[in-house]
Amino acid sequence: MTVIITAPELAEALAGEAPPVLLDVRWQLSLAKAAGAPPFDGRAEHAAGHIPGAVFVDLDRELAGAPGGHGRHPLPDLAEFGAAMRRAGVSASRPVVVYDGGQGWAAARAWWMLRWTGHPDVRVLDGGLPSWTGELASGAAVPDAGDFVPAPDAAGLLDADGAAELARTGVLLDARAGERYRGEVEPVDRVGGHIPGAVSAPTTENVGPDGRFLPAVELKDRFKALGVSSDAPVGVYCGSGVSGAHEVLALAVAGIPAALYVGSWSEWSADPSRPVAVGADPQ
C-alpha cells in the first residue's frame, strides 16, 4: 500500500463510490506569539477554504497531549484521540487521506498517529493543499461518526531510553535543521545539540522545491548514504515529534520501516541528566 497520494488521484477517489475520509490538519510551529503577533489559526484557515468534505483536526489538542515532562507534543490520551477520530468520521474499514498547508509535517503526524494505532489505510496528500487545483468549500463539515478504536503498536514507538539504545545499536536519525543538531542555535528548547550517536538528517531534504516527496529511489539512496540498511533498526526524532513523523513518512515512501521517538529533543533536553552531543560528529 502506498503512503502518499497525488491531488489527481485524490480527486478521482473523492468522486468514486467509496470516497476516503478527508482530514485537514493545517498547523504551523510558530514563534509569533513571542513577537506579539497572533498565532496561526488552522481552524480559521479551514473554515475559509478547504477541500470539499474535509474535517478539521487540531494537532495541538487532538493529535498531542498537553506539553510537559514528555515534550511539547507528547502522545495524546488514546481514548480521547479515538473519540476525536470518530467525531471526524474515521472508521477502520474506510480509507483516510490527510493533508495540511503544504509543509507536510502536521499531515504526517496525523498519518503516523492513525497508522501507529492500527488504521490499515492512511495516506498523505503529497504537496498538501497547494497541490489541490479543484474547488474549495467553506464553513465546517459535519461527518457521520466513525467507529475507529485505537490499538497501538509498541514496535513503532520509542521512548528516551529506547532512542538512546537505538543510537548505539541501529540508526537514529535527527530530523531537525542541521544547525540545531550541531547545537549552533536552539530557538525553542533548553539546550542545543543532539542525542549522542544520532545522525543528522534534516527532513527538509526529503522533498523538492514544490514540497512534494522526492522519488522513492532517491529517498532510498539518501537514507542509505546516512547509514540506513536492512540490517539495523531505524528510529527518528525531531524537536517534538512532528517533523520527525514526516521523516518516518519519507522512510515509508522509500519502503523502510522506522519508529518515532515522540518526546524527541523537547523531552530529552529537558532532563539535565541525559547526555548532549554538539557539533557535526554524531558522538
Side-chain angles (χ1 to χ4, degrees):
M1 186 190 71
T2 57
V3 293
I4 56 176
I5 185 171
T6 66
E9 289 169 340
L10 175 59
E12 182 178 356
L14 291 173
E17 294 183 359
V21 173
L22 192 55
L23 305 181
D24 179 336
V25 198
R26 272 178 278 181
W27 170 90
Q28 287 182 10
L29 175 61
S30 175
L31 303 179
K33 190 178 292 186
F40 177 81
D41 188 341
R43 193 176 297 275
E45 294 287 328
H46 171 84
H50 55 267
I51 299 174
V55 178
F56 181 72
V57 172
D58 190 316
L59 185 149
D60 289 318
R61 293 176 175 82
E62 295 174 320
L63 302 179
H70 290 297
R72 285 191 305 281
H73 291 103
L75 288 174
D77 176 88
L78 289 184
E80 294 179 6
F81 169 71
M85 293 300 98
R86 291 190 292 274
R87 286 195 303 271
V90 175
S91 292
S93 60
R94 190 175 171 191
V96 177
V97 173
V98 190
Y99 73 89
D100 58 22
Q103 188 178 41
W105 295 3
R109 172 70 177 228
W111 167 84
W112 182 85
M113 282 294 308
L114 282 165
R115 292 290 295 143
W116 175 66
T117 54
H119 198 288
D121 190 351
V122 190
R123 286 176 288 175
V124 170
L125 176 59
D126 197 16
L129 186 60
S131 71
W132 179 257
T133 59
E135 65 176 3
L136 296 178
S138 59
V142 182
D144 294 333
D147 63 12
F148 179 69
V149 177
D153 176 10
L157 180 68
L158 293 171
D159 60 12
D161 291 339
E165 180 179 357
L166 190 59
R168 297 189 300 269
T169 62
V171 180
L172 182 65
L173 301 177
D174 185 320
R176 298 172 300 157
E179 58 268 24
R180 291 185 69 189
Y181 170 89
R182 295 187 296 271
E184 297 165 0
V185 298
E186 182 43 64
V188 187
D189 293 310
R190 183 184 67 86
V191 64
H194 58 269
I195 296 173
V199 178
S200 180
T203 198
T204 52
E205 296 178 17
N206 295 322
V207 299
D210 58 0
R212 293 179 174 87
F213 281 106
L214 300 175
V217 65
E218 292 184 26
L219 288 171
K220 189 172 295 187
D221 287 344
R222 181 192 184 219
F223 292 123
K224 182 179 180 180
L226 292 169
V228 173
S229 71
S230 59
D231 300 328
V234 181
V236 181
Y237 75 97
C238 58
S240 63
V242 178
S243 67
H246 191 264
E247 186 120 299
V248 173
L249 178 58
L251 284 155
V253 171
I256 303 165
L260 179 65
Y261 173 25
V262 174
S264 285
W265 190 247
S266 59
E267 178 185 44
W268 183 279
S269 64
D271 183 349
S273 70
R274 293 201 175 275
V276 171
V278 295
D281 190 322
Q283 302 300 330

